């Protein structure tokens, strides 16, 4: 590429002097001094002071690649920031240029600068000096991409039903440092090269969430390694179903209103408490205990959840709870 110098030169302007001053009429004893000729129009006896030259400016052209051996630069998603290298009295560095172009060309005066390139969660800082000429700088991000696909059975889970967190693990602690909360599923996430721990939690957005969003006990984790210049696709599979609780006087009977329910693990840990005639909730595949309280009396029983098999759990007032999902289970 032909480099074009953008230096600007100052101009020197000359000021014309006024004509010679009129002298008093000479006496006879005095000789009249010779008259000085008038200067030509537009000229003066001496040039005026030169105007200060304008500030010299060159251009800084920036580009970035994901890996050192990547021949193609990054085409979108970059944020460039250029700061003065010298710190201000408060220790900060003055921002002098910013661009979201993939390959920006920035006019800057001579000097030393700190260039920061941000691409997703990846970022690189570089010192750049401009000394009387145009400069091109190519930065290696040492980063890769991660695309997460969450599924329930064969169906992809909508992003609004997921809570995804990404951690940088340490020895003995997979969730040592949280770097991204509420990551977007099915979108490419740019990450610095390295190892990561992903936690995907299925959210309950149905009627049982009572107008809000509740985290379920369906949690899938994955340990991944992101190489520079590569896109990693990871499929996380949840195994869960939506269960509707009912307290009835007989199988298939009408659900009794004003009933409070508790769902526990077999070990007694409370998962969710709800109130209503037939509240529903999303549960991970496994065994559970349901407790129903109605008019001062308590009823309980065990039930089983099979992945993607949504069903009703009926708790009979006189009998043990009945889980329609168990009807197809082998005895």
């Amino acid at each position: 590429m032909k480099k074009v110098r953008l230096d600007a030169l100052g101009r020197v302007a000359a000021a014309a002097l006024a004509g010679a001053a009129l002298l008093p009429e000479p006496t006879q004893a005095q000789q009249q001094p010779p008259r000085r000729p008038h200067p030509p129009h537009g000229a003066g006896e001496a040039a005026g002071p030169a105007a200060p030259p304008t500030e010299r400016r060159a251009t800084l052209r920036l580009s970035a690649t994901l890996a050192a051996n990547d021949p193609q630069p990054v085409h979108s998603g970059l944020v460039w920031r250029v700061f003065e290298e010298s710190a201000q009295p408060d220790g900060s560095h003055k921002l002098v240029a910013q661009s979201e172009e993939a390959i920006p060309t920035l006019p800057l005066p001579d000097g030393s600068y700190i260039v920061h390139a941000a691409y997703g969660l990846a970022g690189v800082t570089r010192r750049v000096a401009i000394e009387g000429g145009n400069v091109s700088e190519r930065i290696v991000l040492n980063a890769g991409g991660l695309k997460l696909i969450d599924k329930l059975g064969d169906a992809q889970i909508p992003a609004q039903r997921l809570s995804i967190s990404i951690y940088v693990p340490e020895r003995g602690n997979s969730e040592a440092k949280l770097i991204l909360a509420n990551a977007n599923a099915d979108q490419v996430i740019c990450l610095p090269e390295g190892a990561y721990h992903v936690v995907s939690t299925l959210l309950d957005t149905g009627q049982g969430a009572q107008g809000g969003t509740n985290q379920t006990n369906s949690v899938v984790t994955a340990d991944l390694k992101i190489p520079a210049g590569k896109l990693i696709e990871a499929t996380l599979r949840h195994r869960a179903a939506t269960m509707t609780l009912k307290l009835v006087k007989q199988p298939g009977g009408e659900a009794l209103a004003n009933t409070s329910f508790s769902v526990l693990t077999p070990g007694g840990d409370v998962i969710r408490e709800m109130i209503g005639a037939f509240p529903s909730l999303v549960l991970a595949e496994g065994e559970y205990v349901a407790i129903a309280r109605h008019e001062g009396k308590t009823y309980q029983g065990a039930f089983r959840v099979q992945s993607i098999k949504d069903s009703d759990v009926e708790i009979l007032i006189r009998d043990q709870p009945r889980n329609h999902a168990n009807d197809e289970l082998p005895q």
Side-chain angles (χ1 to χ4, degrees):
M1 177 178 288
K2 184 179 178 181
K3 296 182 178 179
V4 181
R5 195 181 260 284
L6 300 180
D7 300 337
L9 300 179
R11 294 184 178 181
V12 178
L17 298 177
L22 295 178
L23 298 177
E25 196 68 24
T27 62
Q28 294 181 354
Q30 293 176 329
Q31 293 185 353
Q32 185 174 356
R35 290 184 176 272
R36 301 174 62 184
H38 290 283
H41 180 71
E45 293 185 352
T54 59
E55 192 177 48
R56 296 172 60 89
R57 299 180 75 84
T59 60
L60 174 61
R61 187 174 186 269
L62 299 169
S63 62
T65 60
L66 292 176
N69 57 354
D70 193 346
Q72 296 296 324
V74 177
H75 295 295
S76 62
L78 282 162
V79 178
W80 297 95
R81 294 180 177 87
V82 181
F83 302 87
E84 289 183 349
E85 183 185 37
S86 57
Q88 299 188 84
D90 62 357
S92 64
H93 294 263
K94 182 181 178 181
L95 178 67
V96 295
Q98 181 172 334
S99 176
E100 295 184 7
E101 296 181 16
I103 306 177
T105 300
L106 307 173
L108 294 168
D110 288 357
S112 296
Y113 300 93
I114 298 173
V115 176
H116 182 264
Y119 186 54
L121 295 181
V124 175
T125 300
R126 178 79 56 82
R127 179 187 179 276
V128 175
I130 298 177
E131 298 175 352
N134 299 332
V135 175
S136 293
E137 194 73 23
R138 193 172 196 178
I139 292 178
V140 178
L141 295 167
N142 287 321
L146 172 63
K147 185 177 181 180
L148 298 170
I149 301 173
D150 288 69
K151 289 189 173 183
L152 180 60
D154 294 328
Q156 186 167 337
I157 303 173
Q160 62 268 25
R161 291 198 61 195
L162 293 167
S163 175
I164 301 175
S165 299
I166 300 178
Y167 298 84
V168 173
E170 294 180 357
R171 184 182 296 273
N173 184 5
S174 60
E175 300 180 6
K177 182 180 179 182
L178 176 65
I179 61 169
L180 182 60
N182 298 321
N184 291 324
D186 201 31
Q187 293 186 5
V188 176
I189 305 168
C190 186
L191 296 167
E193 181 181 31
Y196 297 92
H197 180 73
V198 178
V199 178
S200 174
T201 302
L202 184 62
L203 300 178
D204 188 351
T205 59
Q207 184 178 1
Q210 297 179 351
T213 298
N214 292 318
Q215 291 189 346
T216 72
N217 65 333
S218 180
V219 180
V220 180
T221 64
D223 292 306
L224 305 170
K225 195 166 187 179
I226 307 299
K230 302 292 183 180
L231 172 63
I232 301 299
E233 287 191 359
T235 299
L236 307 178
R237 296 188 179 276
H238 288 263
R239 299 185 62 82
T242 299
M243 313 302 289
T244 301
L245 305 178
K246 297 179 179 180
L247 179 65
V248 297
K249 295 181 179 180
Q250 58 187 5
E254 183 179 357
L256 299 180
N258 300 320
T259 303
S260 61
F261 295 90
S262 298
V263 177
L264 297 78
T265 65
D269 295 328
V270 177
I271 296 176
R272 186 86 66 81
E273 293 184 338
M274 297 169 292
I275 299 176
F278 38 86
S280 63
L281 75 163
V282 177
L283 292 170
E285 190 174 64
E287 304 287 341
Y288 298 91
V289 175
I291 297 176
R293 301 176 181 86
H294 181 74
E295 295 182 348
K297 295 182 180 180
T298 300
Y299 310 92
Q300 74 173 51
F303 67 97
R304 181 179 177 185
V305 176
Q306 282 188 296
S307 182
I308 70 171
K309 290 188 176 181
D310 300 345
S311 62
D312 295 343
V313 176
E314 291 184 346
I315 303 176
L316 298 178
I317 286 184
R318 292 180 298 275
D319 302 320
Q320 295 297 311
R322 180 188 176 202
N323 179 11
H324 291 302
N326 291 333
D327 293 345
E328 301 177 2
L329 298 180
Q331 299 299 322

